[in-house]
């Protein structure tokens, strides 16, 4: 195994690829994302059907068929497309000077304008219900960053993770966007994270164990010297946001469940420039890299078909979607 000890010393070349010494470039401790102010709870009109947890109750887990009926699949396709369209709209708003709360406001409004409930809002149970309608994960934030008053800065990368619930089903998708121009290492990280998701999607076929997905993702990440986060995984999805099915993004031979036609789940690799070890903020949600180096993520909800993965979170129009638009590096 490669030694992943990535403790950078002040005289080491900066992780960003500038060629400068770390102490003259990005000093990690000075640049860490810190918790900001979270705005008041946004309301959802009573006319919009809400999931049972919307009023702060615990998420009740019910048994749910892994293989979906044609009817559920049709509804998931429509809800997935809405999630993808909201993702593109939110990504287009990303620029220096915009706050992550501005993005939450946009996502919340677009979700309810389209008759959907923003799934993250109040999700997770009475102790620490998620307080916002979208996850915004900036720079070293791995996932579940809570929108707040932090201004996006030139060179930031931000994962926006959209989940909406409509017609009784969830659609879950995310991508990493740039605030202005980003450094070469962040660009490489983002492109290869997209390629990790492509690699995972590429091995979806009935009859194969779901561990093949993580194997393909991990191989791609390792070939590019990148880390794979283990603490968060993809998940079965449908009438419930997260079902018991787990999709690891690293090779886990114990995941022997075979993919079957009609199954639906997410693939959502979180890939790191340095160590994939995670730490959690006191808010109980925000997961960051322990070493403070950057991380990126892409996510699609997919359906297993005889021809391979069918992406349920396809936008109406791919323009502006980094999953489809990021150019490969040579
Ligand atoms: N959308 C995230 C996922 O991909 C889950 C967010 S849970 C929340 O699974 F409560 F933080 F919204
Ligand atoms: Co997900
Ligand atoms: Co998600």
């Amino acid at each position: 195994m490669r030694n992943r000890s990535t403790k950078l010393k002040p005289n080491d070349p900066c992780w960003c690829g500038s060629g400068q010494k770390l102490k003259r470039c990005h000093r990690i401790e000075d640049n860490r994302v810190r918790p900001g102010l979270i705005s008041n709870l946004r309301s959802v009109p009573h006319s919009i059907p809400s999931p049972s947890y919307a009023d702060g109750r615990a998420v009740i887990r019910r048994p749910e068929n892994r293989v979906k009926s044609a009817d559920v699949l049709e509804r998931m396709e429509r809800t997935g497309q809405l999630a993808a369209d909201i993702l593109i709209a939110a990504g287009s708003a990303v620029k220096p000077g915009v706050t992550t709360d501005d993005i939450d406001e946009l996502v919340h409004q677009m979700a309810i304008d389209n008759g959907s409930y923003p799934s993250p809002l109040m999700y997770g149970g009475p102790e620490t219900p998620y307080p916002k309608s979208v996850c915004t994960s900036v720079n070293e934030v791995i996932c579940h960053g809570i929108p707040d008053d932090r201004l996006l800065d030139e060179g930031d990368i931000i994962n926006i993770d959209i989940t909406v619930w409509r017609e009784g089903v969830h659609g879950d998708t995310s991508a990493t966007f740039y605030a202005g121009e980003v450094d070469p290492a962040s660009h490489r990280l983002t492109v290869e994270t997209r390629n990790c998701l492509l690699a995972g999607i590429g091995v979806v076929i009935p009859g194969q164990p779901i561990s093949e997905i993580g194997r393909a993702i991990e191989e791609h990440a390792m070939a590019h010297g990148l880390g794979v986060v283990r603490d968060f995984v993809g998940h079965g999805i449908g009438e419930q946001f997260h079902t018991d099915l787990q999709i690891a993004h690293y090779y886990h031979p114990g995941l022997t469940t075979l993919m079957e036609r009609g199954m639906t789940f997410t693939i959502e690799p979180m890939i790191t420039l340095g160590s994939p070890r995670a730490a959690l903020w006191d808010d109980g949600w925000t997961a960051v890299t322990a070493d403070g180096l950057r991380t990126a993520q892409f996510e699609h909800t997919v359906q297993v078909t005889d021809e391979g993965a069918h992406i349920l979170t396809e936008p109406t129009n791919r323009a502006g979607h980094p999953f489809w638009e990021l150019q490969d590096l040579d």
Side-chain angles (χ1 to χ4, degrees), residues 52-128:
S52 63
Y53 57 79
D55 58 4
R57 274 181 292 169
V59 177
I60 319 145
R61 298 200 184 278
R62 300 178 275 105
E64 177 171 340
N65 288 339
R66 286 179 173 171
V67 172
K68 310 301 184 200
S69 66
D71 167 58
V72 168
L73 291 171
E74 278 167 31
R75 288 186 271 136
M76 286 186 76
E77 182 112 38
R78 288 190 289 267
T79 302
Q81 181 172 64
L82 174 62
D85 287 345
I86 297 175
L87 178 64
I88 291 178
S92 320
V94 169
K95 60 174 184 206
V98 163
T99 69
T100 47
D101 188 64
D102 293 334
I103 296 169
D104 184 71
E105 188 179 11
L106 181 157
V107 168
H108 184 86
Q109 195 60 45
M110 190 163 168
I112 61 182
D113 284 349
N114 286 279
S116 70
Y117 181 89
S119 310
L121 189 62
M122 301 302 282
Y123 188 71
E127 255 111 84
T128 47

Side-chain angles (χ1 to χ4, degrees), residues 120 123 130 135 144 161 163 172 235 241-242 268 285 297 299:
Y123 188 71
Y130 189 81
C135 298
H144 304 166
D161 192 342
T163 313
D172 187 3
H235 48 93
F241 197 165
H242 299 97
E268 49 182 298
W285 284 104
Q297 181 179 26
E299 172 175 24

Side-chain angles (χ1 to χ4, degrees), residues 3-53:
N3 180 2
R4 292 211 153 274
S5 152
T6 47
K7 201 96 206 124
L8 291 174
K9 289 176 224 67
N11 285 324
D12 286 341
C14 186
W15 57 268
C16 81
S18 64
Q20 299 246 48
K21 287 183 175 170
L22 179 66
K23 65 182 181 195
R24 309 216 172 282
C25 197
H26 288 87
R27 282 179 315 197
I28 290 164
E29 289 314 319
D30 299 354
N31 285 293
R32 280 199 190 239
V33 176
R34 296 188 193 286
L37 279 177
I38 297 172
S39 64
N40 291 335
L41 205 60
R42 298 196 154 89
S43 62
V44 176
H46 291 297
S47 55
I48 293 177
S50 295
S52 63
Y53 57 79

Side-chain angles (χ1 to χ4, degrees), residues 125-199:
E127 255 111 84
T128 47
Y130 189 81
K132 290 286 150 201
S133 300
V134 61
C135 298
T136 52
S137 301
V138 174
N139 297 344
E140 75 269 22
V141 180
I142 295 171
C143 63
H144 304 166
I146 301 173
D148 62 18
D149 65 348
R150 183 186 183 283
L151 300 165
L152 290 174
D153 203 359
E154 173 76 26
D156 282 348
I157 60 171
I158 174 174
N159 173 273
I160 301 180
D161 192 342
I162 306 288
T163 313
V164 287
W165 190 72
R166 195 175 65 180
E167 296 187 69
V169 294
H170 296 270
D172 187 3
T173 186
S174 85
T176 299
F177 299 88
Y178 299 165
E181 274 200 41
V182 307
D183 61 80
S186 298
H187 180 55
R188 183 177 71 87
L189 169 70
T190 305
V191 170
E192 297 311 341
T193 302
R194 184 276 310 273
N195 290 345
C196 281
L197 174 53
L198 268 176

Side-chain angles (χ1 to χ4, degrees), residues 165-329:
W165 190 72
R166 195 175 65 180
E167 296 187 69
V169 294
H170 296 270
D172 187 3
T173 186
S174 85
T176 299
F177 299 88
Y178 299 165
E181 274 200 41
V182 307
D183 61 80
S186 298
H187 180 55
R188 183 177 71 87
L189 169 70
T190 305
V191 170
E192 297 311 341
T193 302
R194 184 276 310 273
N195 290 345
C196 281
L197 174 53
L198 268 176
I201 287 174
V203 297
V204 169
I205 197 82
Q208 286 290 312
I210 53 165
S211 58
E212 285 304 307
I213 297 170
R215 191 212 290 268
I217 291 169
E218 186 171 53
E219 270 176 15
H220 188 86
M222 283 187 48
H224 291 272
L226 300 168
V228 177
V229 171
R230 292 172 166 249
D231 293 3
F232 300 91
V233 296
H235 48 93
I237 182 169
E239 295 175 276
Q240 298 172 92
F241 197 165
H242 299 97
T243 72
D244 60 335
L245 184 64
Q246 302 213 346
I247 315 292
H249 304 113
Y250 55 95
Y251 182 54
H252 183 346
L255 299 177
T256 55
T257 302
L258 300 182
M259 294 183 246
E260 274 179 76
R261 188 204 313 142
M263 270 185 178
T264 54
F265 48 78
T266 72
I267 309 178
E268 49 182 298
M270 287 141 273
I271 304 298
T272 62
L273 277 178
S275 162
R277 203 161 70 83
L280 200 63
W281 282 4
D282 290 340
D283 62 19
W285 284 104
T286 311
V288 296
T289 59
D291 63 11
L293 295 187
R294 288 185 175 194
T295 169
Q297 181 179 26
F298 283 81
E299 172 175 24
H300 274 304
T301 299
V302 303
Q303 167 191 344
V304 181
T305 79
D306 289 334
E307 285 75 50
H310 170 61
I311 297 176
L312 289 165
T313 38
E314 275 282 15
T316 317
N317 179 337
R318 288 180 179 180
H321 197 308
F323 182 82
W324 303 108
E325 289 206 334
L326 277 176
Q327 298 296 311
D328 267 321
L329 306 164

